[in-house]
Amino acid sequence: MSILLRVEKLTKIFTAGGIFGSKMRVVAVNGISFECREGEILGIIGESGSGKTTTMKTILKLYKPTRGKIYFRGRDIWTIPNKEYYRHVQGVFQDPYSSINPVYRVRHLFDNIFDNLLEDVSLDERHEILSEVLDRVQLKAEEVLYKYSYELSGGQLQRVLLAACLLVDPELIIADEPTSMIDASMRVTILNVMRSLREEEGKSIIFITHDIGQAFYICDRLLVMRKGKIVEEGSAEEVVFHPQHPYTKRLIADVPKLGKKLILRR
Amino acid sequence: MLLRAINLKGGYEIRSGFVKAVDGCSLTLSEGEILGIIGESGCGKTTLGKLLMGFTMPPLKLLSGKVLISDIDLYSYDLENRRRFWGSLISMVPQYSMNALNPTIKIKDFIYDFLKQHKRDITREEALEIASVRLKSLNLSPSVLDMYPFELSGGMKQRVVIMISSLLNPKILICDEPTSALDVSTQRVLLELLYNMVKLEKIVSSMIIISHDVAAISQICDTLYVMYAGKIVEKGPLDEVLEEPLHPYTKALISCVLTPEERIRRSRITGLKGAPPNLLNPPAHCRFAARCPLAFSKCKQAEPPLMRIGNREVACWLFNGDER
Amino acid sequence: MEGARGLMAEAIYALRSSPRLMIGVSIFSFYVMLAMIGPLLYPVDPRKPIFEHLQPPSPQHPLGTDVLGRDVFAQLIHGTYYSLKIGFMAAVIASILGIVIGGVGGYFGGVIDDLLTLITNIFLCVPTIALLVILAAYFRVRSEWIVILLLGITTWPSMARSIRSQILSLKVREFVDTAKLCGMSSLKILFREVLPNMLAYIVMYFILNIAIAIVSEAGLSAIGLGPTGIISLGMILRWAIVWEAVRYGAWWWFIPPGLSITLISLSLLMINDALDKLYNPRARTTR
């Protein structure tokens, strides 16, 4: 399998404060390297503050890296024009309420995609295509397209955002906790959609989550991040069944298993 | 029996009608028991919790039913008089309440204000003494008293909020989605805390935990209630329900729990399609029929009652109960 | 179509729920009507002397005449028209400057922002009225458009500053990132995604700008630096001051224009305040 995305010694430092005041430095991502291969689902696991969201936004060209390079199919992503890059790489952000502009109906998001990334689709075809992608995430076009974001539930919005990705049909989707607000019964259906994207269409997905159960269900490989660094990397089975790093060990041990009574640590 | 709720019906008065969020739920809770209520969002779990508290702020309304706590008939008092039971007899930690802490005052001032509302003549020192004793018994550092909410992590805030709601030694504590939005390790610590409060320290007699996360709460619950579209569709001892769920909805919910175990990786789990019915006009037959893979003609004709099967009760036409 | 109906319904709802808005809108509409259809219903030339000096109000002259024998009511109608026009147009200019300068600075940040903030701060430091006086005195003949321009370029800085701070908090919201992923350019995102979120805010500031411009015009006119060759409410006051109307006890000459300026700006401030209460996100309860 060829390499789709390569991240090389990526560091992202946020600074705040002016020239005169003392500067606040936060090292969000600290010299990480990894790659995502074609046709694989790569899971990035970490707790809040581990730098996984910063990593995602840097890959999506929303943050400029402080140090390090990111290559998509061997090309430095900053040499690829935005429009071209976003046709191949798309993302779903963590907070669905803030991801959709509150002043427009949901349809506006899809129209933005048509207008800027899919210019060759005629106006008449749009509705039919939208119905198709929404159907894949178990939504009905007439139930969501003409609503405002605050009229929909978090779970519905997350599915809308995933549908937007499906519409663009990129080679790589980076999804940050894309199912956090979806009910467990529906969540499996959505994870199955992602699985079939890989199995049937050979797409790659970077799945960012703190839920090891979900990651284990769909991911081929897992990266475990902590405080801006990758502490463990390997196939999903390796990482879950034979964790090496103490942090990973604790993380896996803390995952609730159905019906296993809590053993008190004292 | 510490708490008995008999045939509770209630919901929300809105412009287009009445949303029957809770439609005939009965519940019993004994001394020392941790009871879990699971179900999808919008199935009425939170509303049931509020009705158990007697917290019927408009637009929420109780239509019929009774809540008996020890020998107190909660709804024989009006809303104003029910207030005095809140915090001291029954207490609730609402969802996201950790974000409701006032960011501008220190935790200790919040605790003092809170205790003062219930005990007029309490002094500052007494309040802080009570709080630090409680913190110690729950393995929390008393240093949080001197902190502002923003100095605490999400998990810590949640623990502090739960600690505060137990300060007046209520008999029953209701926690609504206590583990949502927490990392697994924080979640585990929180579950330990809840378990401690009931089973070891006996700070509260019994606890009701409302959650959509079956795996998390299954670690500490004794009894499990499954809610669907305003009704309780299955209840029973946790182990039995998990081992052999009877109701097709319970089966689906449990099969959708993703844990890092070999079996989930090999199989492709089928989720539940569709959405729960609109509670403005729920169907007159089994409410799960439209999504049920095992539905047959009877399911679309009449509503199944809760039928007793061994230690358990289930509302599904696939079963013929021992009684009735 | 559906959108227009929704807007109407929203407007009616807003008027019903806020008496303050109702009063403000009523007063303001009254003056707009006076300016628009007044000349048709009361076709008297405000400049033509009728050789009856300082007449108190009478059926022929509802607000009497001034010292040159001109009809005060006709002057009031024309004055209201020009004052509203100057105020409105100056507010348009000020708002465009405020939105562009504050919006571009806040959204793009960096050196552009530093530069634009510096300019804004310089304008904010200089007392507006002093700047206006100096600029106005520079022109011998001040057409209404020169006055509009002067008022426009002195009223924008506070708006630019507010818009900038609003943008700073909006641009970190993830819908901006979503828009970037749609391949939209930065300017397009600023104007199509970010600014519409501030529409209520912009409208409120615009209304405030009209009030400020009308009052500034009156102030400028009162010290003799108003528009030349037209009648505005400020100019009527100016003549009343110059011809010592107060000493003659000609209250019908100076009270109507003074009261009108007060009422117009008061009504605008009331509308602004009511809208603030209606559209302030903290006051909104729907979700």
Side-chain angles (χ1 to χ4, degrees), chain B residues 228 272-277 283 285-293 295 299-300:
Chain B
Y228 184 76
L272 264 180
K273 299 240 160 118
H285 51 76
C286 173
R287 297 185 177 184
F288 190 58
R291 298 170 81 188
C292 183
C299 303
K300 302 215 165 145

Side-chain angles (χ1 to χ4, degrees), chain A residues 183-201:
Chain A
D183 271 314
S185 56
M186 176 66 76
R187 180 182 290 161
V188 176
T189 313
I190 299 305
L191 293 175
N192 286 342
V193 171
M194 294 200 199
R195 248 182 155 175
S196 63
L197 277 180
R198 176 199 53 184
E199 278 156 19
E200 285 147 35
E201 299 175 42

Side-chain angles (χ1 to χ4, degrees), chain B residues 66-279:
Chain B
K66 260 188 180 183
V67 176
L68 305 167
I69 303 174
S70 306
D71 48 356
I72 297 164
D73 182 357
L74 205 56
Y75 283 97
S76 66
Y77 299 86
D78 61 8
L79 183 61
E80 218 30 62
N81 285 311
R82 258 176 263 149
R83 273 175 202 280
R84 65 189 154 111
F85 299 124
W86 300 342
S88 51
L89 180 68
I90 185 164
S91 194
M92 186 165 180
V93 184
Q95 195 175 5
Y96 307 124
S97 53
M98 60 180 186
N99 299 329
L101 285 171
N102 184 343
T104 60
I105 63 172
K106 288 185 176 174
I107 302 291
K108 62 177 180 190
D109 298 321
F110 183 82
I111 289 175
Y112 176 55
D113 289 346
F114 172 76
L115 287 176
K116 222 180 149 175
Q117 283 175 6
H118 293 269
K119 293 179 187 169
R120 282 280 156 71
D121 49 347
I122 197 167
T123 65
R124 228 186 139 70
E125 286 68 35
E126 282 167 356
L128 289 187
E129 182 56 32
I130 295 174
S132 43
V133 167
R134 181 56 49 88
L135 282 168
K136 265 185 221 135
S137 70
L138 292 173
N139 287 333
L140 297 171
S141 156
S143 64
V144 296
L145 290 175
D146 274 312
M147 293 192 188
Y148 288 98
F150 65 84
E151 294 177 277
L152 304 172
S153 66
M156 197 65 205
K157 259 192 277 186
Q158 183 72 294
R159 276 182 280 164
V160 167
V161 167
I162 288 172
M163 185 279 290
I164 294 172
S165 13
S166 77
L167 272 181
L168 296 164
N169 301 313
K171 288 224 158 86
I172 301 160
L173 183 65
I174 304 176
C175 298
D176 192 2
E177 301 284 2
T179 61
S180 70
L182 296 182
D183 294 320
V184 279
S185 301
T186 331
Q187 190 173 302
R188 190 202 149 93
V189 176
L190 188 86
L191 289 169
E192 279 179 13
L193 175 95
L194 295 178
Y195 186 84
N196 269 349
M197 285 174 83
V198 183
K199 305 283 182 180
L200 301 179
E201 301 292 335
K202 300 199 166 41
I203 290 164
V204 295
S205 309
S206 311
M207 187 177 281
I208 297 175
I209 305 179
I210 297 166
S211 178
H212 65 271
D213 191 340
V214 190
I217 69 165
S218 75
Q219 293 186 286
I220 62 168
C221 287
D222 305 306
T223 318
L224 203 59
Y225 277 57
V226 183
M227 255 187 112
Y228 184 76
K231 293 209 165 256
I232 286 165
V233 294
E234 179 161 2
K235 59 178 162 190
L238 176 89
D239 301 330
E240 286 185 36
V241 176
L242 290 185
E243 203 136 300
E244 194 206 343
L246 296 175
H247 199 283
Y249 179 66
T250 318
K251 271 190 191 134
L253 267 192
I254 290 174
S255 78
C256 287
V257 174
L258 299 176
T259 51
E261 289 166 292
E262 192 58 51
R263 61 167 181 93
I264 73 142
R265 198 160 163 79
R266 272 181 276 117
S267 59
R268 198 180 174 113
I269 300 160
T270 41
L272 264 180
K273 299 240 160 118
N278 187 345
L279 292 176

Side-chain angles (χ1 to χ4, degrees), chain A residues 123-214:
Chain A
L123 278 172
D124 312 331
E125 293 169 288
R126 286 186 182 184
H127 194 84
E128 200 178 318
I129 296 173
L130 282 182
S131 302
E132 259 169 56
V133 293
L134 288 169
D135 187 54
R136 286 179 73 179
V137 293
Q138 306 276 322
L139 287 171
K140 291 198 179 73
E142 62 274 14
E143 275 172 15
V144 294
L145 278 184
Y146 300 100
K147 293 257 172 70
Y148 291 98
S149 58
Y150 51 81
E151 296 174 294
L152 298 174
S153 72
Q156 283 175 311
L157 288 177
Q158 286 187 318
R159 286 184 278 154
V160 162
L161 290 167
L162 190 66
C165 272
L166 297 179
L167 176 64
V168 180
D169 195 22
E171 287 164 84
L172 174 64
I173 293 174
I174 309 175
D176 190 358
E177 304 275 9
T179 58
S180 58
M181 299 191 185
I182 302 177
D183 271 314
S185 56
M186 176 66 76
R187 180 182 290 161
V188 176
T189 313
I190 299 305
L191 293 175
N192 286 342
V193 171
M194 294 200 199
R195 248 182 155 175
S196 63
L197 277 180
R198 176 199 53 184
E199 278 156 19
E200 285 147 35
E201 299 175 42
K203 305 283 185 200
S204 304
I205 296 169
I206 297 181
F207 185 74
I208 299 175
T209 185
H210 71 274
D211 187 331
I212 296 166
Q214 282 185 55

